[in-house]
Amino acid sequence: MITKDIGSYISTECKDSLKSITKLSKSKGNVSLVLDERKLYDYDEITEKLHNYIKCPASADSVLIKGKLVAFIEFKSGFKKRITKKNFQLDKLTCPYDKKKEWVCKEYGKLLLDKLELESRELLDSIKMKAIESYITLEKKIIPLCEDITSKKKIRLSYWVVVDYEDSAIDMLEDTLAELGEISSEDNPISDIKNSLGRFVGQRDVDNQSYYYDEVEVFTPEEFLKQLDRFGVE
């Protein structure tokens, strides 16, 4: 449970770290996941400064401060794939020198699927690491510098992930069923991320004080912009 005024500290001490969402959501390929000129705080930059640019931990891309909400936001590209387990067609893996298209390379197909699974696992591991270390920086480097909250309302700490994945009506139904445990979440990154981060919600220490996050949310770019609108982010 956070009883420190994180918002006042960041808005006062980290003014230089305000950047547009377009810039904050840029991938390594210099492509922005979300095009929007509204500004959030660059949590990567804040983390680097707090650690004096030495042995810096992993961190979420940005942080939103709105009222009693503190939301770490990670923009993650790489989930949108042309080939997935759903649409994989083994009969397409024929030898280019086989004019009759009769010889199918099953071993290459297996290697390709293994590669796709490894890439997805690495993305999930990166998201989890950033969730953990973003919280550690908050607890060990920021909270000790903050004043107590004067009101009785406590801070609500969230971790939001924005991914390059578009839900179709069928995918949205599968998301719901996967969360209910009725079907596998295979090839469903939104459900995979929620399940992966579920252990960081509602944790309590030996004194029955909550730690880590109050909630975890996963959004497509369009859903994320709607979420900002709901919170009145200008």
Side-chain angles (χ1 to χ4, degrees), residues 22-23 25-33 35 77:
T22 298
K23 186 171 184 178
S25 67
K26 278 189 177 180
S27 64
K28 291 181 180 179
N30 207 34
V31 177
S32 296
L33 180 58
L35 297 175
S77 299

Side-chain angles (χ1 to χ4, degrees), residues 5-20:
D5 195 351
I6 299 169
S8 292
Y9 172 80
I10 290 181
S11 61
T12 301
E13 301 296 329
C14 306
K15 293 178 181 178
D16 294 341
S17 295
L18 271 174
K19 297 177 183 177
S20 72

Side-chain angles (χ1 to χ4, degrees), residues 5-232:
D5 195 351
I6 299 169
S8 292
Y9 172 80
I10 290 181
S11 61
T12 301
E13 301 296 329
C14 306
K15 293 178 181 178
D16 294 341
S17 295
L18 271 174
K19 297 177 183 177
S20 72
I21 293 172
T22 298
K23 186 171 184 178
L24 291 169
S25 67
K26 278 189 177 180
S27 64
K28 291 181 180 179
N30 207 34
V31 177
S32 296
L33 180 58
V34 182
L35 297 175
D36 195 288
E37 291 309 303
R38 284 177 285 188
K39 293 184 177 181
L40 303 172
Y41 293 95
D42 186 337
Y43 196 64
D44 283 328
E45 184 175 274
I46 292 170
T47 299
E48 289 174 349
K49 289 179 179 179
L50 288 170
H51 287 84
N52 296 315
Y53 303 94
I54 300 172
K55 295 183 179 179
C56 297
S59 54
D61 293 312
S62 63
V63 59
L64 166 66
I65 308 293
K66 192 68 177 177
K68 297 301 179 183
L69 171 71
V70 175
F72 291 125
I73 303 168
E74 174 65 14
F75 300 100
K76 185 63 70 176
S77 299
F79 287 101
K80 187 176 182 180
K81 296 180 174 67
R82 293 179 62 187
I83 300 176
T84 68
K85 288 183 179 179
K86 279 185 182 178
N87 64 19
F88 179 74
Q89 294 176 284
L90 184 62
D91 60 350
K92 299 293 184 182
L93 296 177
T94 54
C95 176
Y97 298 104
D98 176 21
K99 294 182 180 179
K100 294 184 178 181
K101 304 295 182 183
E102 294 177 344
W103 296 98
V104 176
C105 186
K106 294 182 180 179
E107 288 303 314
Y108 178 75
K110 183 179 183 302
L111 287 173
L112 179 58
L113 289 176
D114 287 346
K115 177 178 179 292
L116 293 172
E117 184 176 348
L118 178 60
E119 289 174 349
S120 295
R121 193 181 307 132
E122 288 176 344
L123 288 171
L124 289 174
D125 287 344
S126 172
I127 290 170
K128 284 193 291 186
M129 180 63 72
K130 291 189 175 191
I132 294 168
E133 297 196 354
S134 292
Y135 180 83
I136 292 173
T137 294
L138 175 68
E139 184 181 70
K140 301 301 181 183
K141 292 287 188 177
I142 296 178
I143 288 179
L145 301 174
C146 298
E147 300 292 335
D148 290 330
I149 295 175
T150 54
S151 69
K152 293 182 179 180
K153 195 172 182 180
K154 307 306 179 187
I155 293 295
R156 184 166 186 81
L157 185 62
S158 301
Y159 188 75
W160 297 353
V161 184
V162 185
V163 296
D164 58 340
Y165 177 79
E166 296 298 333
D167 276 339
S168 66
I170 293 176
D171 289 330
M172 291 173 69
L173 176 60
E174 288 185 354
D175 284 343
T176 303
L177 292 175
E179 288 176 13
L180 294 173
E182 295 182 16
I183 65 168
S184 167
S185 63
E186 186 175 281
D187 280 338
N188 194 320
I190 290 182
S191 292
D192 288 343
I193 295 169
K194 287 181 179 179
N195 292 335
S196 179
L197 297 175
R199 71 189 69 178
F200 303 122
V201 177
Q203 293 284 6
R204 292 189 174 275
D205 61 20
V206 294
D207 296 319
N208 202 35
Q209 298 298 309
S210 63
Y211 66 98
Y212 278 136
Y213 300 96
D214 295 302
E215 61 183 1
V216 167
E217 298 284 356
V218 185
F219 303 105
T220 64
E222 182 180 357
E223 291 169 342
F224 171 64
L225 292 177
K226 290 179 180 178
Q227 180 79 339
L228 295 183
D229 291 340
R230 281 194 289 269
F231 279 97

